[in-house]
Amino acid sequence: MADKELAELFYLVGKRVRHGYAHRLVPLGLNPGQARALRALAGAGQPMRMVRLADELRIVPRSLTPVVDALEAAGLVRRQVDPANRRSTLVVLTDEGRALAERAREARREAGEELFAVLTPGQRASLRELLERVESGGQDGPGGSRGR
């Protein structure tokens, strides 16, 4: 029963982070799906094939098409034929897209800071450490079993 309660709390906190983030994206003219696509492209540091971008976002390629269409219409990305495989399309981040990806990243950081402002800096550091341990499956952090 305690696990379910912890999971529910985690879900509710995550929902609040997502809501705060989505609210901050509105003035940027982005929705969370578009911001995720920009973040993935900026993080890759190079153009990505549509199929790889969809995989990175964990969505089916046909769901990515309207996202890329909207980003392209806004001048944030452009499509180009992949010279390595002319049947594939690359999504290229424009300078404007890169700048907006950074602003969206800042919006996400601000949403988190606002939500976690009720915690002391030490509590936030402890929470970060615990969440990193959970996210890695307990394998990478202090006391983890990887490398033993």
Side-chain angles (χ1 to χ4, degrees), residues 112-128:
E113 279 187 6
E114 181 179 303
L115 182 66
F116 294 110
V118 298
L119 301 176
T120 67
Q123 288 171 326
R124 285 192 300 268
S126 294
L127 180 59
R128 176 186 309 274

Side-chain angles (χ1 to χ4, degrees), residues 123-136 138:
Q123 288 171 326
R124 285 192 300 268
S126 294
L127 180 59
R128 176 186 309 274
E129 183 179 320
L130 292 168
L131 291 174
E132 286 172 350
R133 183 175 182 130
V134 169
E135 196 278 329
S136 73

Side-chain angles (χ1 to χ4, degrees), residues 16-25 32 35 39 104 107-108 111:
R16 287 185 57 200
V17 169
R18 287 187 302 275
H19 177 74
Y21 179 46
H23 180 73
R24 283 173 173 75
L25 289 175
R39 184 171 63 245
R108 189 174 74 176

